Amino acid sequence: MVMNVTEVMEYISYALIVIGIMAFMVSVVAQVIKSWPGLDVLPTSAVVIVLSFVLCPVTMIALLSWMGQPIEWYMVFACMIAAFVVALVAMDGWERLKQIWERTKYKDRQ
């Protein structure tokens, strides 16, 4: 299977859209949970991580069942990795992701 650059960029765009939507959902649910009496003592980071690890697989399973696709082991593995990224974005936002990108970019050495 040969993929051209346009297809790869399309898939990357879809992945970024999904990560953004999931991070928004996790942030909203975390804020609602943190506003409940008695749960405001929980660390926000822990709530966000747990929510990411719950909402991402649930969303993946719902999407795949809606599409009628089988759930493979590598999809679950990729979903867990994506849950880390979603938690990172939901906790620290896009600024942290931009900082990581800037540190890994090639720097012209003169």
Side-chain angles (χ1 to χ4, degrees), residues 1-72:
M1 181 171 134
V2 177
M3 293 180 65
N4 60 21
V5 175
T6 306
E7 289 178 33
V8 171
M9 293 304 292
E10 185 177 334
Y11 290 134
I12 290 173
S13 298
Y14 291 151
L16 289 175
I17 290 169
V18 169
I19 288 171
I21 291 170
M22 289 302 300
F24 175 76
M25 288 174 47
V26 167
S27 297
V28 168
V29 174
Q31 289 302 318
V32 169
I33 288 176
K34 292 291 288 179
S35 69
W36 291 347
L39 295 178
D40 54 351
V41 296
L42 295 173
T44 305
S45 299
V47 172
V48 167
I49 290 171
V50 169
L51 281 174
S52 280
F53 278 111
V54 171
L55 289 179
C56 287
V58 167
T59 303
M60 182 196 73
I61 291 169
L63 179 65
L64 289 177
S65 66
W66 178 70
M67 293 171 52
Q69 298 290 325
I71 300 171
E72 303 288 338

